[in-house]
Amino acid sequence: MLTENRRSRAHIDVPLILMVAAMCLFGVLAVCVATFSTDSSAENLLGHIAESSFALRQCFFLLIAPVVLLVIMNIPYDLLRRFTPTVYYGATILIAVVWVFNRAEGVKQWLDIIWGFTIQPTEFAKLSIILMLARKLSMAERPMSDFREIVRVLLLVMVPGVIILASGETGSLLVIVFLAAVMMFFSNVPMKVILTLAAIVILGALALYGFMVATGSDDYRLARIMAFVDPSMSPLDDAYQQTKSKMAIGSGGVDGIGMFVNGAISQLNYVPADWTDFIYASIGEAWGFVGCVLVLAGYLAIILRMVYLALFTRDRYGMLIITGVIGMLLFHVFENIGMTLGLMPITGIPLPFLSYGGSNMVTNIGGIALVLNVTKNRSLSGSVLTPQTRVNPYTFGKRKKRS
């Protein structure tokens, strides 16, 4: 029989909360630095924040974060599992509705709400897919062992994935594919299945790329890839943002040029919208190599902490939720920093906890809240509706006698 120890006990993981809070607070400072204006007359940090509408909004998002954290963290664990399909289908329908009725050019996954604020339902869809895959993959000791189960799991990813791709959100689709692969790997899916699916995805992407090149497509996503492959052969505007991003990071040197410096590349807006997807460029310029490394160290600490929590979570559903959140955050960090350094093509993926944006902030905090929900409910005893039970946890509303 399993025995509970210090590492597997139910608890609220304070170290994870503190690390995420520190990153979010630094994010407000980074957004403030990135939006520093030549007309600024502020004499202190609070004055600079007050002058920046984006920094003020980021503060507002930061105030929402604890509410999101507490609500999701305290959802009863059995209800979380029971209503996972409802959350998944609701999120899928929402992104489909936004795609159909949003007539904007290019990306069609932004929804206007109030006072100039918008939401991006594709961000919330990531969490719903994590929950649904965790539920499906945890139902069998060896999931996706036959063709029927492979198709069922793939449909859970492909249906929202196709809608997201049609909406122009290639970056979000890549995040979903990566987190799904991570969850499959840790759920004991046969390796030959994972490798076969990976080969199909890679070959399909190459075939689509070749077709678009051969037909002379003017799709902006192809232009970004071409600018990454050979910036010198691409139009200036396609490679401009990435080129200026590398210049900003390089100008920071070892310890940076400092905050709120007149004449800085970010201050002169040479890196377009550097408070969103290219926030890392402003960080590199202001705090230099040291600042960039510290940011990476912060992400590494958060990821390793979640890996530690997953290792000592015996409930398969909970463990897969944690690995899904790890996959989501890991790809965001890898792709975002890679594209600001010119090592990856631009995909419009924000940097977790640091980039300006409410939808991404709520999604990332929601992911952390799911991890905390799992660790908070870890137990080796209790009713059938709690994790770590010795009977089928998906038989809701029925109690079975233990032998």
Side-chain angles (χ1 to χ4, degrees):
M1 180 177 176
L2 293 174
T3 57
E4 189 170 12
N5 57 41
R6 178 176 58 85
R7 294 187 179 95
S8 62
R9 75 189 190 284
H11 69 287
I12 297 176
D13 199 69
V14 177
L16 180 60
I17 295 176
L18 293 177
M19 287 187 287
V20 171
M23 291 293 283
C24 291
L25 289 172
F26 180 69
V28 173
L29 177 60
V31 170
C32 186
V33 170
T35 54
F36 173 57
S37 171
T38 55
D39 301 326
S40 175
S41 59
E43 298 179 355
N44 52 48
L45 178 59
L46 290 179
H48 285 295
I49 293 176
E51 285 185 344
S52 171
S53 61
F54 292 103
L56 287 175
R57 289 190 177 194
Q58 192 75 352
C59 289
F60 174 72
F61 301 146
L62 196 57
L63 292 176
I64 295 176
V67 178
V68 174
L69 189 77
L70 290 173
V71 170
I72 297 179
M73 186 177 70
N74 288 291
I75 295 175
Y77 198 74
D78 58 308
L79 292 181
L80 187 65
R81 284 197 281 202
R82 182 184 298 183
F83 289 102
T84 285
T86 303
V87 174
Y88 170 81
Y89 293 120
T92 303
I93 291 172
L94 180 60
I95 60 175
V97 169
V98 174
W99 170 55
V100 171
F101 291 100
N102 191 334
R103 300 302 178 186
E105 295 297 327
V107 179
K108 301 181 179 182
Q109 277 299 322
W110 293 96
L111 184 64
D112 295 327
I113 45 176
I114 189 173
W115 300 330
F117 287 94
T118 59
I119 60 173
Q120 192 175 12
T122 52
E123 290 292 331
F124 311 137
K126 297 172 187 176
L127 295 182
S128 72
I129 292 172
I130 289 174
L131 290 172
M132 195 63 175
L133 283 177
R135 185 177 188 272
K136 184 66 177 177
L137 295 173
S138 63
M139 285 183 170
E141 186 67 30
R142 191 76 167 169
M144 299 181 71
S145 296
D146 59 68
F147 182 74
R148 180 178 297 179
E149 283 302 307
I150 292 174
V151 172
R152 287 176 177 173
V153 173
L154 289 182
L155 285 176
L156 294 177
V157 179
M158 289 177 61
V159 172
V162 170
I163 299 173
I164 290 171
L165 181 63
S167 303
E169 274 286 312
T170 309
S172 293
L173 175 62
L174 293 175
V175 174
I176 291 170
V177 170
F178 183 81
L179 70 85
V182 171
M183 295 177 72
M184 289 177 190
F185 178 81
F186 285 101
S187 64
N188 205 27
V189 171
M191 186 55 64
K192 63 180 180 180
V193 173
I194 296 177
L195 293 177
T196 301
L197 293 176
I200 293 173
V201 170
I202 293 172
L203 291 175
L206 291 175
L208 179 60
Y209 172 75
F211 174 78
M212 294 175 72
V213 172
T215 56
S217 173
D218 60 353
D219 191 285
Y220 74 96
R221 290 167 289 189
L222 176 63
R224 286 179 170 181
I225 295 175
M226 297 295 289
F228 166 73
V229 173
D230 190 356
S232 63
M233 297 297 292
S234 302
L236 181 61
D237 54 348
D238 292 333
Y240 178 85
Q241 194 171 23
Q242 199 165 61
T243 301
K244 294 301 181 182
S245 171
K246 291 187 289 184
M247 287 177 59
I249 294 174
S251 68
V254 176
D255 55 357
I257 64 173
M259 302 184 295
F260 312 118
V261 176
N262 284 314
I265 292 176
S266 60
Q267 188 252 350
L268 295 174
N269 295 322
Y270 283 131
V271 183
D274 56 350
W275 58 91
T276 56
D277 301 341
F278 279 80
I279 192 72
Y280 197 70
S282 292
I283 293 172
E285 182 181 34
W287 291 282
F289 177 76
V290 174
C292 290
V293 170
L294 288 177
V295 168
L296 288 175
Y299 284 122
L300 181 62
I302 292 172
I303 296 295
L304 290 180
R305 185 64 188 178
M306 289 193 291
V307 169
Y308 170 83
L309 295 174
L311 286 174
F312 294 98
T313 300
R314 297 189 180 94
D315 173 50
R316 284 170 58 83
Y317 176 71
M319 183 272 291
L320 288 174
I321 286 178
I322 298 177
T323 56
V325 175
I326 291 172
M328 179 182 73
L329 294 179
L330 188 61
F331 190 85
H332 267 266
V333 173
F334 176 80
E335 167 59 25
N336 180 277
I337 293 179
M339 73 183 190
T340 58
L341 294 173
L343 302 176
M344 297 290 288
I346 298 175
T347 55
I349 292 180
L351 193 58
F353 313 118
L354 300 185
S355 291
Y356 167 82
S359 297
N360 185 250
M361 175 68 78
V362 170
T363 299
N364 293 325
I365 294 297
I368 297 298
L370 288 175
V371 174
L372 294 172
N373 188 304
V374 171
T375 61
K376 177 174 175 284
N377 289 282
R378 291 197 301 196
S379 175
L380 292 174
S381 60
S383 70
V384 67
L385 298 180
T386 61
Q388 313 302 348
T389 179
R390 294 171 60 194
V391 297
N392 182 6
Y394 298 100
T395 308
F396 296 105
K398 298 179 181 179
R399 292 182 179 272
K400 294 187 178 182
K401 295 182 179 180
R402 296 186 179 183
S403 56

